Amino acid sequence: QVQLVESGGGLVQPGGSLRLSCTASFLLDFYAVAWFRQAPGKERDRVSCITYNAESTNYADSVKGRFTISRDKAKNTVYLQMNSLKPEDTAVYYCATNTDCSDRYWSNWGQGTQVTVSS
C-alpha cells in the first residue's frame, strides 16, 4: 500500500522545538513533498514544500524564519524542523507528495501527527 507516515509530533511549550519526519513505503526521490497542517475548525493549509531535488523550498508567511524543510534521500525521509513554536502552530501536521511544489493536487496523504504548543 502506497503510504506516507508522519511522526515526531507531541506537546511542547511555547518557544520550544520539534522535528517532524515524513517517511514513505515508496521512493520519494522523484516527488516534491509538502507539509500541511489543520487546526480544529480550520481548513488545511500548506506550511512548506521542497522540490524533488531539494533545490527549492517555500514556506507559508506564518512560519518563515522558524520552520525549515529538508530531505534525506538515503533515509527516504523529509523533515520539518520547527523552532520558536507558538500556540497558533497547534494542529495536525500531514505530508503529501506531488510532481512539483507549484502543482495543485496532492496525494499519498499520511495519517498526520499532532503538534500541541501549550504551557
Side-chain angles (χ1 to χ4, degrees):
Q1 182 179 357
V2 174
Q3 188 178 3
L4 295 176
V5 178
E6 303 93 341
S7 62
L11 173 63
V12 63
Q13 292 186 341
S17 298
L18 283 173
R19 188 177 77 162
L20 305 183
S21 298
C22 172
T23 60
S25 59
F26 56 95
L27 279 177
L28 290 173
D29 289 16
F30 304 109
Y31 292 94
V33 178
W35 285 96
F36 296 78
R37 67 185 181 187
Q38 187 167 21
K42 295 188 177 181
E43 293 186 352
R44 185 168 55 194
D45 294 323
R46 196 169 93 175
V47 173
S48 182
C49 185
I50 187 166
T51 54
Y52 78 97
N53 57 7
E55 288 188 353
S56 179
T57 60
N58 56 53
Y59 300 91
D61 288 343
S62 58
V63 306
K64 280 181 182 176
R66 300 189 297 121
F67 290 11
T68 303
I69 192 170
S70 62
R71 64 193 306 160
D72 185 332
K73 289 195 171 185
K75 295 183 179 180
N76 201 41
T77 300
V78 173
Y79 301 101
L80 186 67
Q81 177 67 44
M82 306 187 297
N83 299 328
S84 303
L85 282 162
K86 304 175 181 180
E88 51 264 43
D89 294 318
T90 295
V92 178
Y93 284 71
Y94 302 88
C95 57
T97 61
N98 207 328
T99 54
D100 190 78
C101 290
S102 61
D103 289 342
R104 185 174 178 180
Y105 298 105
W106 293 84
S107 57
N108 300 318
W109 294 89
Q111 83 292 345
T113 185
Q114 176 70 48
V115 171
T116 303
V117 185
S118 175
S119 55

